[in-house]
């Protein structure tokens, strides 16, 4: 597109870098949220008891994913960290 | 056909009203005054028509207005430190806060220039007089506003006395080994993140 000639003008003409270098995790295909969640999990795993147990308990999730096909709900997939009874 | 489009779009547009020109010359959002909570013309008209009932409130009237940027630098910094599950510090007045930004340790004093900083896993310290409270932050953001308010949001933050040094050492050894033995890019990245976080935890405990 002709309108693209102007983008990055300052980068080209003045040699100024307009964006920070890409972090290694983004270069490997990871998003910021995934990176942030991995960091948080690692920190939680390094806590002393009982804080560690509280933190891991706090992060437990339980949800059901239902896909719909032809106007009907199919069997939901349940993802759970709680004990299955 | 559109070669000159960018140039044409950038030329000054003749403004049709004072309001339009005010909007086009809008200052940065760190300098904006707080929005009006109620439209005075509407309130006037309501009172004339229905003097007995209070005029209806709009959502904006329930919001607390942004505290104005004071003319002289305030003596204290107001810190809001929040986690997804709890509010660690809520409008606490402190002297200084040092946050672990990706660009290095960022010391925030009252009157700091408005900044948005991405945080890396590291040590955050809150200084109030002679008290220093240290937290280890896993990652997050710090927003410092022109009116000496600092909003720090973290995904996980713990006071450093809750960190177990043995687990940190074990984790560091485990991930250093994983970095060497990792095969795919993603595995390498995950192992590298592990090494970064554990070495930050280590230096937080020792430093």
């Amino acid at each position: 597109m002709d309108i693209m000639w102007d983008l990055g003008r300052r980068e080209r003409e003045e040699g100024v870098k307009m964006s920070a270098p890409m972090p290694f995790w983004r270069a490997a295909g990871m998003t910021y949220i995934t990176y942030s969640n991995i960091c948080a999990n690692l920190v939680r795993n390094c806590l002393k008891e009982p804080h560690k147990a509280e933190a891991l308990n706090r992060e437990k999730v339980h949800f059901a994913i239902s896909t719909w096909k032809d106007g009907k709900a199919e069997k939901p997939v349940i993802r759970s960290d709680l004990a299955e009874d | 056909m559109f070669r000159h489009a960018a140039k044409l779009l950038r030329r000054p547009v003749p403004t049709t009203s004072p309001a339009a020109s005010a909007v086009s010359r809008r200052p940065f959002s760190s300098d904006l005054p707080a929005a009006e909570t109620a439209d005075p013309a509407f309130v006037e008209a309501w009172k004339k028509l229905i003097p007995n009932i209070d005029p209806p409130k709009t959502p904006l009237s329930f919001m607390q207005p942004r505290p104005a940027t004071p003319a002289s630098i305030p003596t204290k910094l107001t810190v809001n430190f929040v986690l997804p599950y709890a509010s660690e510090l809520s409008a606490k007045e402190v002297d200084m806060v040092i946050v672990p930004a990706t660009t290095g340790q960022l010391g925030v004093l009252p009157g700091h220039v408005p900044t948005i900083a991405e945080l890396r896993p590291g040590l955050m310290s809150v200084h109030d007089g002679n008290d220093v409270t240290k937290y280890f932050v896993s990652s997050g953001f710090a927003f410092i506003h022109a009116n000496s308010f600092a909003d720090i949001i973290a995904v996980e933050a713990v006071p450093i006395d809750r960190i177990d040094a043995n687990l940190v050492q074990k984790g560091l050894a485990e991930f250093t080994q994983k970095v060497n033995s990792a095969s795919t890019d993603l595995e390498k990245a995950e192992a590298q993140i592990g090494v970064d976080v554990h070495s930050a935890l280590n230096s937080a405990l020792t430093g």
Side-chain angles (χ1 to χ4, degrees):
Chain A
M1 286 292 295
D2 289 288
I3 204 159
M4 302 290 255
W5 70 267
D6 189 53
L7 295 172
R9 181 201 70 89
R10 197 152 178 249
E11 259 194 29
R12 279 194 316 275
E13 291 177 25
E14 301 178 23
V16 173
K17 204 149 195 320
M18 293 295 273
S19 53
M22 196 188 288
F24 65 90
W25 39 267
R26 194 172 281 283
M30 206 188 279
T31 60
Y32 178 79
I33 305 182
T34 321
Y35 164 72
S36 189
N37 284 336
I38 292 176
C39 288
N41 275 320
L42 291 169
V43 170
R44 273 180 222 124
N45 285 330
C46 287
L47 297 177
K48 292 181 186 161
E49 297 292 341
H51 304 289
K52 182 172 175 180
E54 279 172 13
L56 294 176
N57 205 23
R58 190 196 309 134
E59 296 299 316
K60 286 192 177 155
V61 290
H62 174 100
F63 55 89
I65 307 174
S66 316
T67 42
W68 288 69
K69 200 169 165 190
D70 297 330
K72 277 193 167 63
E74 301 187 338
K75 190 159 194 316
V77 173
I78 307 214
R79 305 274 283 266
S80 178
D81 289 329
L82 306 171
E84 305 290 299
D85 288 321
Chain B
M1 184 163 80
F2 294 117
R3 264 193 319 122
H4 298 292
K7 189 165 42 129
L8 291 172
L9 285 171
R10 269 205 313 267
R11 68 162 190 259
V13 174
T15 51
T16 50
S17 69
S21 58
V23 161
S24 61
R25 277 198 304 274
R26 204 167 127 132
F28 291 122
S29 61
S30 53
D31 304 331
L32 279 179
E36 273 185 31
T37 52
D39 184 2
F42 174 77
V43 170
E44 277 302 308
W46 178 280
K47 287 218 161 84
K48 266 194 234 159
L49 207 55
I50 318 170
N52 294 337
I53 308 179
D54 281 334
K57 286 190 168 184
T58 52
L60 212 54
S61 67
F62 289 100
M63 279 176 60
Q64 287 187 342
R66 173 206 300 251
T69 309
S72 64
I73 298 176
T75 47
K76 292 278 209 180
L77 180 70
T78 318
V79 174
N80 296 317
F81 180 29
V82 292
L83 303 171
Y85 51 85
S87 171
E88 277 290 332
L89 301 171
S90 175
K92 183 154 193 259
E93 306 233 321
V94 296
D95 294 326
M96 173 172 75
V97 153
I98 304 182
V99 289
T102 46
T103 51
Q105 294 293 108
L106 180 65
V108 186
L109 290 160
H112 197 279
V113 63
T115 314
I116 301 181
E118 182 192 334
L119 305 180
R120 68 181 143 83
L123 198 63
M124 178 184 123
S125 41
V126 179
H127 299 248
D128 190 12
N130 285 327
D131 306 315
V132 178
T133 330
K134 293 189 184 172
Y135 299 91
F136 186 85
V137 166
S138 74
S139 60
F141 291 91
F143 300 89
I144 302 149
H145 304 282
N147 51 10
S148 293
F149 269 68
D151 297 324
I152 304 170
I153 57 175
V155 178
E156 188 68 56
V158 293
I160 49 173
D161 49 15
R162 292 192 194 173
I163 304 174
D164 187 343
N166 294 328
L167 291 174
V168 172
Q169 295 293 351
K170 266 200 285 185
L172 186 58
E174 181 196 335
F175 280 98
T176 334
Q177 200 214 16
K178 272 198 198 160
V179 165
N180 294 328
S181 68
S183 46
T184 65
D185 257 349
L186 201 58
E187 270 178 40
K188 247 184 264 177
E190 284 178 10
Q192 184 62 49
I193 296 172
V195 167
D196 285 344
V197 171
H198 285 94
S199 25
L201 277 161
N202 219 359
S203 46
L205 287 175
T206 52

